[in-house]
């Protein structure tokens, strides 16, 4: 019954609630000293992914999946890269399609269920590099992609993948999507929606016959956006079908490697179904940690460069 009592209890005093714990690091946290080497790889559908590497000459590799409208330069990604590099482990952050500076070639963008691009990244790494141990980690949306990949592959997962860890992760996407309908979360809805609408405008330059910009300008909520654009571009019926079809918890019971899930109980973007207590109680491979504080991708430690969650990842993943 691997439900773990959390050691993270109290953020700095100025982070007075889950919203402050979420917003302040997102706006003001900076990580210095990470230098990437970019590699562009092809996907099976004639598109590409940008992989950003930071190597220290290790036989171990951390693969990071970033969050919604993030990329390899988000503070949480760079912090994990820096921390693991300092501990002698190579790191790779793969950028979802349209993220990381380049617009992709196909009509599709990316979404919480895009585990096929996690798979492409891992296959490329295993085929071209000789890593003995690979650790997967994901933040928010990237955590959902990671969990879905792990569950889809089950016991047939490549032997090099030893452990995985995710945090602030919408294990149940319908439940997480519902939080963006709440008035208290309007700031997050506006931020993400504005960025995604700009991506669609750019996509319309590539595929003018496919994108209805008049409809786009009328979009005011995620259900409409995901019905009119995400679902149509990616082959789902509507927003509800999309959320349910790609939700990571459809596959999590098949995960076969030790996997840590850290979801704060005061995370404003996670609904009740995002805390897989029953699954963790019966499944020895899933370790669930639910701090009372932390917000969404927060977990700040006073006076320290790295967050509690980042240090917890290192402790859990690098067991040898």
């Amino acid at each position: 019954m691997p439900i773990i009592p959390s050691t993270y209890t109290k953020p700095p005093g100025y982070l007075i609630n889950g919203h402050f714990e979420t917003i302040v690091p997102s706006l003001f946290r900076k990580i210095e000293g990470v230098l990437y080497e970019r590699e562009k790889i092809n996907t099976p559908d004639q598109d590409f992914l940008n992989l950003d590497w930071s190597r220290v000459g290790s036989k171990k590799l951390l693969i990071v999946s970033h969050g919604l409208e993030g990329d390899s330069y988000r503070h949480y990604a760079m912090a994990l890269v820096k921390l693991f590099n300092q501990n002698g482990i190579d790191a790779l952050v793969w950028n979802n399609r349209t993220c990381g500076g380049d617009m992709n070639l196909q009509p599709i963008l990316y979404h919480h269920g895009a585990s096929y691009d996690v798979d492409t990244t891992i296959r490329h790494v295993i085929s071209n590099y000789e890593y003995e141990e690979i650790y997967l980690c994901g933040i928010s949306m990237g955590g959902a992609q990671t969990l879905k990949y792990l569950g889809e592959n089950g016991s047939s997962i490549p032997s090099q993948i030893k452990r995985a860890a995710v945090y602030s992760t919408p294990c149940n996407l319908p439940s997480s999507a519902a939080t963006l309908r709440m008035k208290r979360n309007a700031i997050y809805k506006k931020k993400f929606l504005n960025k995604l609408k700009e991506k669609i405008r750019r996509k319309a330059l590539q595929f003018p016959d496919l994108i209805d910009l008049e409809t786009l300008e009328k979009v005011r909520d995620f259900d409409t956006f995901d019905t009119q654009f995400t679902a149509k571009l990616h082959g789902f019926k509507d927003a509800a079908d999309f959320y349910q079809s790609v939700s990571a918890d459809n596959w999590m019971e098949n995960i076969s490697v030790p996997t840590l899930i850290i979801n704060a109980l005061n995370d404003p973007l996670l609904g009740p179904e995002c805390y897989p207590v029953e699954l963790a109680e019966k499944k020895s491979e899933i370790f669930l940690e639910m701090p009372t504080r932390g917000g969404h991708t927060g977990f700040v430690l006073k006076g320290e460069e790295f967050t509690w969650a980042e240090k917890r990842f290192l402790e859990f993943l690098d067991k040898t």
Side-chain angles (χ1 to χ4, degrees):
M1 296 171 59
I3 296 178
I4 305 170
S6 183
T7 58
Y8 186 73
T9 56
K10 190 175 181 180
Y14 63 90
L15 300 177
I16 59 175
N17 59 34
H19 293 292
F20 276 75
E21 293 173 76
T22 300
I23 295 169
V24 172
S26 179
L27 291 177
F28 300 110
R29 188 183 183 210
K30 306 295 180 186
I31 300 295
E32 305 292 341
V34 174
L35 298 176
Y36 288 125
E37 178 185 352
R38 175 156 290 189
E39 179 182 17
K40 178 182 279 191
I41 66 172
N42 296 321
T43 64
D45 62 342
Q46 287 73 56
D47 213 331
F48 68 88
L49 297 172
N50 284 325
L51 314 185
D52 285 333
W53 291 85
S54 183
R55 299 179 175 93
V56 292
S58 178
K59 288 295 184 182
K60 301 177 181 180
L61 175 67
L62 178 74
I63 298 180
V64 181
S65 299
H66 64 77
L68 184 69
E69 279 305 285
D71 59 27
S72 59
Y73 285 90
R74 288 295 287 153
H75 64 90
Y76 52 72
M78 296 181 73
L80 283 167
V81 168
K82 186 173 184 178
L83 178 61
F84 276 72
N85 280 178
Q86 287 179 353
N87 285 271
I89 299 170
D90 287 2
L92 160 65
V93 188
W94 70 279
N95 293 276
N96 276 270
R97 306 185 196 208
T98 77
C99 301
D102 294 328
M103 184 58 60
N104 68 313
L105 304 177
Q106 294 294 333
I108 63 172
L109 281 75
Y110 69 93
H111 56 72
H112 284 70
S115 54
Y116 44 82
D117 283 341
V118 180
D119 183 70
T120 296
T121 298
I122 291 170
R123 287 178 183 273
H124 172 79
V125 168
I126 290 175
S127 296
N128 292 277
Y129 304 97
E130 296 181 355
Y131 285 103
E132 296 172 357
E133 296 185 19
I134 296 175
Y135 313 128
L136 304 185
C137 76
I139 300 89
S140 192
M141 178 195 73
Q145 293 171 331
T146 300
L147 293 175
K148 183 170 177 281
Y149 168 83
L150 292 168
E152 286 172 331
N153 286 275
S155 59
S156 64
I157 197 166
S159 61
Q160 293 91 335
I161 298 175
K162 304 302 183 183
R163 287 177 167 253
V166 303
Y167 72 82
S168 300
T169 293
C171 300
N172 179 276
L173 189 54
S175 178
S176 180
T179 68
L180 290 170
R181 303 184 192 114
M182 300 176 180
K183 289 184 178 180
R184 71 187 187 198
N185 286 338
I187 186 173
Y188 311 115
K189 179 185 75 172
K190 182 177 180 181
K191 172 189 172 184
F192 288 131
L193 203 52
N194 285 345
K195 288 186 175 183
L196 287 167
K197 287 171 74 173
E198 182 56 34
K199 290 277 180 73
I200 293 295
R201 293 185 189 101
R202 294 179 63 188
K203 187 59 64 177
L205 297 176
Q206 295 175 293
F207 302 95
D209 296 332
L210 193 62
I211 306 295
D212 183 353
L213 289 178
E214 185 175 339
T215 297
L216 180 68
E217 299 311 317
K218 297 176 182 177
V219 169
R220 296 292 181 270
D221 59 78
F222 262 99
D223 287 337
T224 304
F225 179 86
D226 285 329
T227 291
Q228 295 297 327
F229 297 98
T230 308
K232 288 184 177 179
L233 289 174
H234 295 91
F236 300 99
K237 183 172 62 175
D238 54 22
D241 179 48
F242 161 60
Y243 300 148
Q244 184 58 50
S245 296
V246 307
S247 188
D249 57 0
N250 291 325
W251 294 271
M252 285 167 53
E253 66 180 1
N254 298 320
I255 290 174
S256 64
V257 298
T259 300
L260 174 66
I261 301 172
I262 299 173
N263 281 348
L265 293 173
N266 72 337
D267 189 322
L269 298 177
L270 299 183
E273 292 79 12
C274 291
Y275 302 87
V277 173
E278 291 185 9
L279 183 61
E281 287 177 338
K282 69 180 183 181
K283 189 168 179 60
S284 61
E285 292 85 359
I286 292 182
F287 297 77
L288 178 61
E289 195 160 346
M290 298 177 290
T292 57
R293 301 290 302 273
H296 191 78
T297 69
F299 306 104
V300 174
L301 294 171
K302 185 177 181 180
E304 298 199 27
E305 180 177 21
F306 302 113
T307 69
W308 169 84
E310 290 152 6
K311 292 184 175 185
R312 185 75 182 90
F313 271 24
L314 179 65
E315 177 187 51
F316 181 83
L317 293 173
D318 189 25
K319 285 290 188 179
T320 57

